[in-house]
Amino acid sequence: MTAADHNPAILEMTLSLASRQLIWHSEDDTAAFARQLAALPQLRNAYITLHGDLGAGKTTFVRHLLRTLGVSGRIKSPTYAVVEPHECAAMPVWHFDFYRFDDPREWEDAGFRDIFASDGLKLAEWPEKAAALTPPADIAIHIEAIDDTQRRVSLHAHTQAGAQMLQHWPA
């Protein structure tokens, strides 16, 4: 994996109720984290945001999480479609990529308000592009490339459900 410096660091506008710092030494660590997260019952209705430069590993993490949840077939980035729905046995999942999101009217026209009001897991890359329209993230995952294989990961809980999920990782 490689990372391109694309945007300045993203500042969280919501105070964190809890936070954790991790190092993923390889993609195997990314997959292991995805398996741990997938095992948490709170994930069923969570909103998780993914932050990081292009190539940091956001979509790679989502693919590992979706595979763990039982999604089969091709898992593609929703960069052009903005959202890709996935069905798995445990819950519906929506994977958003707001990178090209420019017009708040798209939010209503695409039915995103209804998606966010419904049950299921919502994962969003580039959430800052739609931040005024989305609820606070249960967990914001910030991924920073250290080198070609290692990632520095910061987890920030912005809801009580997110804080409960972070209790599964040592402080």
Side-chain angles (χ1 to χ4, degrees):
M1 291 189 283
T2 60
D5 187 15
H6 182 72
N7 279 346
I10 298 164
L11 300 175
E12 284 300 314
M13 301 309 270
T14 309
L15 293 177
S16 293
L17 300 177
S19 63
R20 300 290 186 272
Q21 304 296 315
L22 307 171
I23 298 290
W24 293 342
H25 297 282
S26 67
E27 194 169 330
D28 289 341
D29 289 348
T30 306
F33 177 81
R35 285 190 302 273
Q36 291 174 309
L37 187 62
L40 302 178
Q42 298 94 335
L43 191 68
R44 182 172 188 79
N45 288 306
Y47 173 43
I48 296 177
T49 58
L50 298 145
H51 306 264
D53 291 329
L54 289 172
K58 299 179 298 292
T59 303
T60 298
F61 164 73
V62 170
R63 284 187 181 119
H64 284 294
L65 182 61
L66 293 176
R67 289 278 180 240
T68 300
L69 291 171
V71 174
S72 59
R74 186 170 180 247
I75 298 173
K76 60 183 180 172
S77 174
T79 300
Y80 294 99
V82 181
V83 65
E84 288 288 335
H86 299 279
E87 286 295 327
C88 61
M91 71 200 81
V93 179
W94 289 272
H95 177 199
F96 294 88
D97 185 331
F98 291 119
Y99 184 76
R100 288 181 168 72
F101 187 81
D102 292 319
D103 187 348
R105 289 176 295 185
E106 290 178 71
W107 185 264
E108 292 297 333
D109 294 345
F112 294 161
R113 183 181 309 280
D114 294 335
I115 292 172
F116 273 84
S118 66
D119 287 344
L121 172 62
K122 290 91 176 170
L123 303 163
E125 297 183 46
W126 303 101
E128 62 278 4
K129 302 278 258 164
L133 302 168
T134 62
D138 293 302
I139 297 177
I141 301 175
H142 296 259
I143 305 172
E144 177 188 355
I146 297 171
D147 58 30
D148 285 347
T149 59
Q150 294 187 90
R151 300 296 184 259
R152 182 175 296 111
V153 181
S154 301
L155 309 172
H156 300 278
H158 298 293
T159 67
Q160 287 299 334
Q164 289 175 349
M165 286 190 271
L166 288 192
Q167 290 177 1
H168 295 275
W169 287 274

